[in-house]
Amino acid sequence: MEDIVLIGYGGHAKSIADCIERSHKFRIAGYTERIVQDSKYPYLGTDDELERLYKAGIKNAVICVGYLGKGNLREKIYQKLKEIGYDLPVIYDP
């Protein structure tokens, strides 16, 4: 089972994490966020740590910043993850 990092950890992230756990396809390594949240997953730091995490072997990421419509923040995060080399698997509710 491969590791995956959650980018952001608000309400949307909790729904995504639930889908990931039920699919049994990935192991949640932890989450990045500007501040530490109450979570059962490890806090891995801010998004500034994404390159280090990738080099440490976490090759999968999922953007957990919720937004209706087209969000500039989500696009910025997507571009950063792709530049680093992350795979962004489609997460769906099994």
Side-chain angles (χ1 to χ4, degrees):
M1 190 178 308
E2 295 181 51
D3 285 336
I4 193 166
V5 61
L6 307 175
I7 311 302
Y9 198 74
H12 186 58
K14 293 168 185 160
S15 296
I16 292 172
D18 182 54
C19 292
I20 291 169
E21 287 183 348
R22 287 187 290 128
S23 75
H24 304 290
K25 293 181 180 179
F26 297 97
R27 178 180 40 253
I28 298 172
Y31 69 96
T32 63
E33 180 62 80
R34 289 177 286 169
I35 57 173
V36 180
Q37 304 286 325
D38 183 26
S39 172
K40 65 180 181 179
Y41 308 109
Y43 175 69
L44 302 174
T46 66
D47 290 353
D48 294 336
E49 299 295 322
L50 289 171
E51 195 164 341
R52 179 188 63 78
L53 295 168
Y54 183 83
K55 289 178 181 176
I58 302 173
K59 306 296 184 192
N60 300 290
V62 61
I63 300 170
C64 298
V65 177
Y67 187 83
L68 296 175
K70 182 168 175 61
N72 292 336
L73 177 60
R74 290 173 58 95
E75 180 67 26
K76 182 179 173 183
I77 294 168
Y78 173 84
Q79 291 301 328
K80 180 175 184 172
L81 292 170
K82 292 310 285 182
E83 286 173 16
I84 293 170
Y86 278 97
D87 290 326
L88 301 168
V90 174
I91 304 299
Y92 60 90
D93 191 331

